[in-house]
Amino acid sequence: MRDERGMRLLRDDATRQRATFLELFLDLVFVFALTRISARLIVDFTEDHRDVYAGIGQALLLFLALWAVWSVTVWSTSWLDPDARIVQTVIIMTLVGAMTMAVAVPHAFGARASLFAITLVTLQIGRVVYFRIAGHGRPDPEQPIRILFWFVLSAPFWVVGGLVNDGTVRGALWTLAVLIDYTGLFRGWPTPRLGARRLGVETIAAEHLAERYQQFLLIALGEAIFVIGLAFSGSQFDPDQTAGFVLALVSTVLLWRIYFHLAGGVLDGALDRSRDAARLATYMAFAHMVMIAGIVLTGVGFELFITEPLGHLPASWLTAILGGPALFLIGRTALEYQVFARVSRSRVGGLLALALLVPVTPHVDPLTAGAAVALVLLGVAGADTRRARRHPPETPSPAF
């Protein structure tokens, strides 16, 4: 299937599997977006007049909106040829739109709400309409209609939410919009008369899609490194803050280790062996979404115990210090089931250990709480290492 300049629209065996430089360029925008979300959360946790839990909810809505933009783009470039000019134009549109949304994030529930919402709606609808027109309905004339149907459903909630002055009403409207968007994503955009159809249902570039998920998770870890470095470079470099800095770095390495052992490193093999690769790719997207949200929240916890290692530990801080790693392990557990149709006891044990820390950590300082979490992560990583020594390398056997 070729466009008017003779370039392919659909991928084939000759299409390169590695991410293009333009796709990696797009990822830089999302690095910036994650730093803005982290900055919002840090302010919510550290300023007394802020409602921390409302701030977390707002940051989650913004994160989900950005993740939806990235996910649709990645699925598209794992189904379509990213070197085709039409596809490259869509990626550039996404880059500009996502950057505009990112700069609006710090005040997206205030003065920049309309900018965030209108940019999101314009981007999501605009790139589908452009692809449908520029591609002359190829390669699938019905798929853009399905996606457009769901984006049009959610658009009024995004736009009206961005224009109202009441933050509570805005949050409710944007929550409805997110639910609509993710229902469409999860179910393959079911549409009257046309039914449902996920992107890449006929063929999907497993190696490319797997690499893109892995790259975004590394982006999230890189954002956590950014938070750690920024927090420590602005500190007094006293022994307690230095201990917090080292502890945060060790914890980040452990998150990396837990992800890539073993499921995170064989995503392409699981997609290749899947009976329904498009469905598995959808579930993998949600597992990575949970893990990345957990990493962002964990990075906020790093900032808290680096800057205030021995101070009072507010109960709300446990949402970041304990909740972030717990979210990561939940997503990682789901991914393991998707890849191997099983769940390691170490993952379940890690989650239970974090749960047991909840009633204990309010009585200790932030640094001690961070150290306890690091020990839990070390235990999970250690169990993985022991399992690898006792058993031969495992072949993916996806659940779907």
Side-chain angles (χ1 to χ4, degrees):
M1 187 66 67
R2 297 181 180 272
D3 66 13
E4 66 276 9
R5 294 185 180 270
M7 297 185 68
R8 297 191 63 86
L9 287 180
L10 278 177
R11 280 181 173 272
D12 61 13
D13 293 338
T15 306
R16 55 177 167 173
Q17 294 283 310
R18 302 302 299 270
T20 64
F21 292 122
L22 182 58
E23 291 175 278
L24 297 175
F25 187 30
L26 173 65
D27 286 349
L28 296 178
V29 174
F30 287 93
V31 173
F32 175 70
L34 291 181
T35 65
R36 296 305 85 205
I37 291 173
S38 291
R40 272 188 63 99
L41 286 169
I42 289 167
V43 171
D44 290 330
F45 276 103
T46 54
E47 292 193 5
D48 293 336
H49 67 279
R50 297 283 190 123
D51 185 338
V52 173
Y53 299 106
I56 293 173
Q58 293 171 4
L60 177 61
L61 288 175
L62 301 177
F63 169 77
L64 291 175
L66 287 160
W67 176 259
V69 170
W70 186 85
S71 292
V72 173
T73 307
V74 167
W75 285 345
S76 298
T77 54
S78 290
W79 173 51
L80 303 169
D81 183 356
D83 288 324
R85 293 183 184 179
I86 292 174
V87 179
Q88 289 181 338
T89 301
V90 171
I91 295 174
I92 292 171
M93 292 169 62
T94 304
L95 186 151
V96 174
M99 186 64 184
T100 305
M101 292 168 63
V103 297
V105 162
H107 303 287
F109 269 79
R112 300 289 180 266
S114 59
L115 176 63
F116 184 90
I118 292 172
T119 301
L120 172 63
V121 169
T122 303
L123 174 61
Q124 295 286 62
I125 293 177
R127 60 184 182 170
V128 175
V129 171
Y130 166 79
F131 185 82
R132 179 68 172 79
I133 295 172
H136 304 288
R138 298 171 295 168
D140 183 348
E142 294 180 346
Q143 191 63 14
I145 297 173
R146 292 186 183 90
I147 300 173
L148 191 61
F149 174 83
W150 282 88
F151 286 162
V152 169
L153 279 181
S154 66
F157 298 101
W158 282 116
V159 174
V160 175
L163 295 175
V164 298
N165 292 322
D166 190 311
T168 302
V169 174
R170 176 176 297 129
L173 290 172
W174 283 5
T175 299
L176 286 173
V178 165
L179 289 174
I180 292 170
D181 286 341
Y182 275 80
T183 299
L185 281 168
F186 186 75
R187 297 184 60 82
W189 297 285
T191 306
R193 297 187 179 181
L194 298 180
R197 189 180 185 86
R198 291 186 172 92
L199 288 175
V201 70
E202 306 95 343
T203 179
I204 196 166
E207 183 181 345
H208 177 271
L209 187 61
E211 183 183 71
R212 299 298 284 131
Y213 286 149
Q214 293 161 347
Q215 286 168 345
F216 203 93
L217 189 125
L218 288 173
I219 284 172
L221 290 174
E223 189 276 334
I225 293 290
F226 176 84
V227 170
I228 293 168
L230 196 62
F232 188 58
S233 64
S235 72
Q236 300 299 317
F237 282 47
D238 62 35
D240 297 326
Q241 291 174 327
T242 301
F245 170 71
V246 173
L247 184 64
L249 282 178
V250 169
S251 298
T252 305
V253 172
L254 290 172
L255 293 175
W256 166 82
R257 170 64 177 169
I258 291 169
Y259 172 76
F260 280 102
H261 182 91
L262 180 62
V266 293
L267 302 183
D268 54 340
L271 288 166
D272 280 335
R273 291 173 173 82
S274 174
R275 300 182 301 276
D276 188 347
R279 180 186 177 196
L280 179 59
T282 302
Y283 291 168
M284 281 183 176
F286 281 89
H288 280 81
M289 179 188 74
V290 174
M291 283 187 285
I292 290 164
I295 291 171
V296 171
L297 196 55
T298 300
V300 174
F302 293 159
E303 160 85 16
L304 298 177
F305 68 66
I306 289 173
T307 55
E308 296 288 340
L310 300 181
H312 171 64
L313 177 58
S316 61
W317 285 20
L318 296 178
T319 308
I321 296 174
L322 295 181
L327 267 181
F328 173 82
L329 286 179
I330 289 170
R332 182 58 180 76
T333 301
L335 183 69
E336 184 173 53
Y337 178 76
Q338 292 158 12
V339 173
F340 294 115
R342 63 159 177 79
V343 174
S344 297
R345 286 178 293 181
S346 62
R347 306 285 185 270
V348 178
L351 286 168
L352 289 175
L354 290 175
L356 292 174
L357 288 176
V358 172
V360 177
T361 44
H363 306 291
V364 301
D365 55 67
L367 184 60
T368 302
V373 171
L375 285 175
V376 172
L377 296 177
L378 181 62
V380 174
D384 289 343
T385 300
R386 289 192 296 272
R387 178 184 175 86
R389 289 173 177 172
R390 295 173 183 172
H391 301 279
E394 192 171 359
T395 302
S397 53
F400 313 107

